[in-house]
Amino acid sequence: MATTHTRSAARLMMAPSVILLFAWMIVPLGMTIYFSLLRYNLLMPGTEEFTGLLNYEFFLTDPAFFDALKNTLLLVGGVLAISVIGGILMALLLDQPMFGQGIVRILVIAPFFIMPTVAALVWKNMFMNPVNGLFAWLFRLLGAEPLDWLAVAPLTSVVIIVAWQWLPFATLILLTALQSLDEEQKEAAEMDGAGPISKFIYITLPHMARAITVVVLIETIFLLSVFAEILVTTNGGPGTQSTNITYLVYTQALLQFDVGGASAGGIVAVVLANIVAIFLIRMIGKNLEA
Amino acid sequence: MGSITLRSVSKVFGEAKVIPSIDLQINEGEFVVFVGPSGCGKSTLLRLIAGLEDVSGGEIVIDGQNATELPPAKRGLAMVFQSYALYPHMSVRSNIAFPLKMAGMDKGEIDRKVSDAARVLNLTDYLERKPRQLSGGQRQRVAIGRAIVRQPKAFLFDEPLSNLDAALRVNMRLEISELHQQLKTTMIYVTHDQVEAMTMADKIVVLNRGNIEQVGSPLELYRKPANLFVAGFIGSPRMNLIEGKFAEANGAKTVGIRPEHIGLSRDSGLWEGTVTIAEHLGSDTFMHIEVPDVGTVTARAGGEFGVRHGDRVYLTPDETKLHRFNDRGLAL
Ligand SMILES: Nc1ncnc2c1ncn2[C@@H]1O[C@H](COP(=O)(O)OP(=O)(O)OP(=O)(O)O)[C@@H](O)[C@H]1O
Ligand SMILES: [Mg+2]
């Protein structure tokens, strides 16, 4: 499909959806930018006025912003590390021939189907609760003082919960990659004298590079905007210890009713996401080239 | 270095007894070819020798040492796979260097060996490329390069040329034969192409349903097939196998005569027949001739023997080149 004619026909056919998608994106973005330049507080209706970049100044100099920025990056990085490394290990395990493989695979995928709020509440009340939680019981069993996870290590707790949700996704993608590894290549490596570890480092891992890239990119997109898990567990606290940018924007808009400030925060989040995306594509994007 | 002995080696996959029991002696420096129809267990036998499959019974001795339980890497053999099995993310150089790197050889030594191998195989200009940027023949050479740098006791080839086109196949066939002359290393080569078997082998092992039908040099198999299976399998076009009165007259159940051992004439001969098909190949003409009481006989004539469908010709089999088989299919 490479003649001039088919190409322009293709453009024409694609135009409606491209235009729709573009409008879908540009209208909210435009409105957000517009609001971010206004003094716009829901508690003072009718007093909107143009304030230039004042909202940005407030948002960016807010000490909570730097905490949120740090937390966002830690959250994304932590979950990525756990889900990619854990996913590789799980995939290697599930690739071994074993009894009931099909059922085990479905069970492993299951967490991915659970809504974030539900998953977070289950973790909060059944695992991390300092009195009734499973972890508390385990700690007591071992004679240790139970931990109030959400108070003592709020960000770590959120990372654990979110990682639990994303581990199946990573496992699934990496498992399919693993299964597409040519059997003869493994045998050739074996004949060449590669042990299990060398075989993993030199054959399996490079083969999975593309899948790992996909996992990292997709997860990053979603992890930059983690919200529900924080809302139902720590509410961003204590203090701002588990507040990420998304959650900070939420507190601005819906707890302080400052639409202008929240919009500025939203734009900052968009810029941040783009910076992260550029870095990622620079670092690992070459893996996606055929 | 490089003698391999199989003693009552057998292989069972679940219910299927793929190789009942095989005894085979492969001498140092020999070029041995396993031939046989598809599914007869050639690849399985090769993989047993390589150690990629465990034997179900019997033992494999390499250079006097029992290697039955040794892992593939410890057997000192190198294998060239049908799909080449190159490592796609590594350059040609790293591919060839991989076994040396795994053996923990030092960098300078590796570089020297890789460039030596590349020179032998005409790959010097391609060392920095990735396998997907190479042609089929070049990939094949990289796979061979990866095998030769290790200086193995023996090379194992599993239908290495089957993915190449006809012209390239002839070329690579010569190159592999030349390589064998140079290296003088034992080679075991699996193919179902009997031309490859005849032209390359010092010793051909004809397999059928996991059993060895006959072992011998190409000409031995051609001149003295031990049974009907080998008689029908070796030689192209196939030997004519004739039963009935003519066979009984020669004191056998079945008589075989190769197409090239039948004399043709337009006016006189032992049998008279009608040409059904004449295949003109230029240098040769192969004729399928319907002979009453004998059946369809294939005969070879010079390229200039101008016959067409429906022509009448006379055939005379060369009595000294008859192969006689008893009712169990064994040569008399
Ligand atoms: N892993 C396996 N499990 C079960 N049966 C197998 C397995 N590998 C091979 N077989 C069976 O063993 C027989 C011999 O297979 P093999 O691959 O050795 O044949 P081959 O002679 O190499 O044939 P081809 O010329 O088609 O490559 C076949 O009938 C095949 O179905
Ligand atoms: Mg085979």
Side-chain angles (χ1 to χ4, degrees), chain B residues 55-320:
Chain B
V55 297
S56 308
E59 58 181 21
I60 296 169
V61 179
I62 299 174
D63 278 344
Q65 185 200 1
N66 188 340
T68 319
E69 302 295 331
L70 284 184
K74 294 266 158 58
R75 299 190 181 194
L77 309 175
M79 182 144 169
V80 176
F81 292 84
Q82 182 173 0
S83 68
Y84 316 137
L86 300 178
Y87 311 126
H89 51 273
M90 294 186 197
S91 64
V92 168
R93 180 190 297 282
S94 317
N95 261 287
I96 299 179
F98 189 70
L100 302 179
K101 193 164 149 189
M102 289 298 110
M105 198 176 274
D106 72 63
K107 192 94 181 48
E109 183 78 358
I110 292 180
D111 283 346
R112 201 178 53 72
K113 291 203 166 193
V114 170
S115 44
D116 282 353
R119 207 172 36 251
V120 173
L121 295 165
N122 279 327
L123 284 170
T124 310
D125 295 340
Y126 306 104
L127 279 177
E128 303 313 324
R129 293 215 197 160
K130 291 280 169 64
R132 74 181 123 82
Q133 298 164 318
L134 299 178
S135 72
Q138 289 163 345
R139 283 180 209 185
Q140 182 62 68
R141 284 204 287 265
V142 177
I144 295 175
R146 196 172 61 183
I148 62 176
V149 283
R150 290 173 54 195
Q151 295 173 319
K153 294 174 189 163
F155 291 98
L156 312 177
F157 294 90
D158 191 355
E159 307 206 22
L161 308 186
S162 57
N163 289 342
L164 303 179
D165 69 55
L168 200 51
R169 210 177 307 176
V170 174
N171 256 331
M172 287 302 299
R173 204 165 79 199
L174 292 175
E175 280 184 36
I176 293 177
S177 293
E178 245 165 55
L179 199 67
H180 181 239
Q181 298 298 330
Q182 273 178 37
L183 301 173
K184 308 226 183 302
T185 311
T186 312
M187 292 191 176
I188 305 178
Y189 188 104
V190 165
T191 180
H192 58 244
D193 178 350
Q194 57 147 314
V195 179
E196 275 173 28
M198 295 296 283
T199 51
M200 300 169 90
D202 294 324
K203 182 151 111 186
I204 297 182
V205 177
V206 183
L207 290 166
N208 184 25
R209 300 198 192 162
N211 291 309
I212 294 184
E213 294 284 348
Q214 191 174 0
V215 179
S217 72
L219 285 182
E220 267 168 38
L221 298 194
Y222 177 80
R223 290 195 189 121
K224 288 201 181 74
N227 52 40
L228 276 177
F229 180 81
V230 178
F233 195 78
I234 300 289
S236 166
R238 281 166 53 98
M239 182 188 283
N240 296 296
L241 296 171
I242 300 162
E243 297 187 357
K245 260 199 295 199
F246 179 69
E248 279 156 26
N250 283 284
K253 176 78 176 23
T254 313
V255 158
I257 179 77
R258 295 194 185 277
E260 51 270 42
H261 298 146
I262 296 179
L264 277 161
S265 150
R266 287 190 178 286
D267 11 82
S268 66
L270 185 63
W271 299 327
E272 183 187 3
T274 321
V275 176
T276 53
I277 300 170
E279 297 173 314
H280 296 276
L281 302 183
S283 61
D284 289 313
T285 303
F286 294 120
M287 275 167 287
H288 300 260
I289 299 159
E290 189 63 41
V291 180
D293 294 340
V294 173
T296 307
V297 174
T298 311
R300 189 185 76 174
E304 313 300 319
F305 196 77
V307 285
R308 284 211 314 271
H309 174 80
D311 287 356
R312 298 197 74 72
V313 291
Y314 292 89
L315 308 174
T316 314
D318 181 346
E319 298 283 346
T320 62

